[in-house]
Amino acid sequence: MGFASYLKYAPLIFFKKNASPIYLVFFITENCNADCKHCLLGGIHPGKDQLSIDEIEKVSNHMDDFLFLLPTGGEPFLRKDLSEIIRIFHRNNHVLNVGIPTNGGLTSQVLETVRSVLDTCPDLDFMVDVSVDGIGEDHDEIRRTPGLFKKAMTTFSELKKLEKEYPRFTATIETTVSSYNDSKLLDMYKYFTENTEADTIFTLLCRGKPMEPSAKFFNVENYEKYARAMEKGIKERMLTGYDRFPFADLINAKRIIRHRVIAKVIRENRQILPCYAGVLGGALFANGDVLPCELHDDLKMGNVRDFDYDFKKIWFSEKGDHARKVIRDSKCFCTYECFLTLNILFNPKVYPSIIKEYLGLKWAKYTKKTLKSKNVKK
């Protein structure tokens, strides 16, 4: 998708009244082939009767266009119809950008699905994030799945090959920071940058109600050190960051700022930026429940099956208004990266910081390119 398609959503930076969600987190399944200690769904199980492909089509038909789709789980690639789910939202809602997390344990299924999406939606900006939380046995122990590290790295390696075929596809490594790996983050960064083809690395923080509550007791200083290493890597062009879709450097700049916001939230235990959950971002669970945010199972807006699959009827209902009021009045805050993306990119007060980091990244690119050109001439 081109620049104009993304710019369509720019007015929401200033005007958000009566907005439909532009960022949908869709838990397409709760099933998983791993048993992670930090699993988000450890305390959130709204139901196991997942929406069928026909039901998803009906929901999509009752939604406005939106910008970003995150099909997640569970392990999203366990759904054999994942590529069709993406095509539905791309066709009906003109979704521009899709990112899918995976534990990487289903290599052939991942590759088959990704190639299917890329072949049938050639204008889609598409990313797959392979989760790696440790090196070797450390990763397998955290995810309680023997052999998963090797499978995940194989999946990542094969996805990097697809990058060479498809200019709009990006394969990344994502690390969930928890008490089980926070002391080894810099070792992992060294491994990723020296032993893999990773050029885009990012983190998520353990949040919500994890399977093992102790997972949330990580050291914020270790998180900040890892964040600074990634920032340095991007600015020195050891890492390219996102580089394959319009406004990619804006997203890279946002990620630099997001790490700082998250650290400040943890240290000060308060809202740093207004939250747009329930306004610009929403969550749809496998059983059809609609929430303003995956962490707010106490603010369920409704279930699409009870509203003839009319998502907007739920979104603009009294319960929807109530959810937004609670989030606004309580100055709700958390470290949830997906919706912090919205809180940063669609808050005009943050743009001086975004532009500063954006220009810095552009300058780093320019100087690296100029230096490379001079070396070639020599």
Side-chain angles (χ1 to χ4, degrees), residues 139 226 364:
H139 177 75
Y226 193 36

Side-chain angles (χ1 to χ4, degrees), residues 235 357-369:
K235 290 182 174 179
E357 296 300 338
Y358 172 81
L359 292 176
L361 294 176
K362 285 296 186 185
W363 177 251
K365 275 188 176 181
Y366 172 76
T367 53
K368 181 96 173 189
K369 184 177 180 180

Side-chain angles (χ1 to χ4, degrees), residues 115-341:
R115 189 177 286 278
S116 174
V117 172
L118 292 169
D119 286 339
T120 56
C121 305
D123 60 343
L124 181 69
D125 295 316
F126 189 30
M127 289 150 285
V128 172
D129 310 320
V130 180
S131 299
V132 185
D133 301 328
I135 303 170
E137 293 182 358
D138 286 348
H139 177 75
D140 295 350
E141 171 61 25
I142 292 170
R143 301 237 162 196
R144 292 192 286 213
T145 309
L148 186 56
F149 175 78
K150 185 176 180 179
K151 291 178 181 178
M153 296 315 299
T154 297
T155 299
F156 178 71
S157 179
E158 292 300 314
L159 288 172
K160 291 299 287 185
K161 294 177 183 177
L162 287 183
E163 271 193 356
K164 297 177 175 64
E165 294 183 48
Y166 298 93
R168 291 184 175 274
F169 176 64
T170 303
T172 76
I173 287 180
E174 173 268 312
T175 296
T176 300
V177 177
S178 70
S179 62
Y180 306 122
N181 64 1
D182 64 328
S183 64
K184 299 180 180 181
L185 292 172
L186 293 182
D187 292 336
M188 292 165 61
Y189 179 80
K190 188 172 188 294
Y191 179 87
F192 295 152
T193 54
E194 294 182 2
N195 296 280
T196 77
E197 296 181 77
D199 48 29
T200 305
I201 302 170
F202 71 100
T203 62
L204 299 175
L205 275 180
C206 180
R207 63 184 184 274
K209 303 172 184 176
M211 190 79 71
E212 293 189 2
S214 60
K216 293 178 68 173
F217 295 105
F218 52 81
N219 187 319
V220 65
E221 292 182 1
N222 291 334
Y223 169 80
E224 288 177 299
K225 288 177 183 176
Y226 193 36
R228 286 194 293 270
M230 287 186 288
E231 179 179 338
K232 182 180 179 183
I234 294 175
K235 290 182 174 179
E236 294 182 353
R237 302 301 293 163
M238 181 184 298
L239 299 172
T240 60
Y242 292 120
D243 206 28
R244 289 174 164 247
F245 56 89
F247 302 105
D249 275 326
L250 198 71
I251 302 302
N252 291 327
K254 174 269 304 178
R255 286 174 57 205
I256 291 171
I257 294 168
R258 190 175 68 184
H259 283 134
R260 297 170 188 167
V261 171
I262 287 173
K264 193 170 183 180
V265 167
I266 295 169
R267 291 185 180 281
E268 299 184 15
N269 195 37
R270 66 179 181 86
Q271 184 186 80
I272 304 301
L273 296 172
C275 182
Y276 301 140
V279 179
L280 299 182
L284 176 63
F285 276 86
N287 72 330
D289 282 346
V290 177
L291 278 66
C293 166
E294 65 188 54
L295 300 180
H296 263 302
D297 52 338
D298 59 325
L299 293 176
K300 175 181 167 182
M301 295 176 167
N303 187 289
V304 293
R305 286 170 170 153
D306 298 330
F307 287 79
D308 198 24
Y309 304 97
D310 193 333
F311 183 93
K312 290 173 69 175
K313 190 175 288 186
I314 295 173
W315 193 254
F316 295 111
S317 66
E318 288 186 11
K319 286 189 175 181
D321 291 340
H322 171 72
R324 284 182 281 274
K325 186 176 188 303
V326 170
I327 291 170
R328 181 181 63 250
D329 292 351
S330 67
K331 295 187 177 181
C332 189
F333 67 93
C334 67
T335 63
Y336 183 24
E337 289 82 359
C338 294
F339 285 3
L340 278 174
T341 291

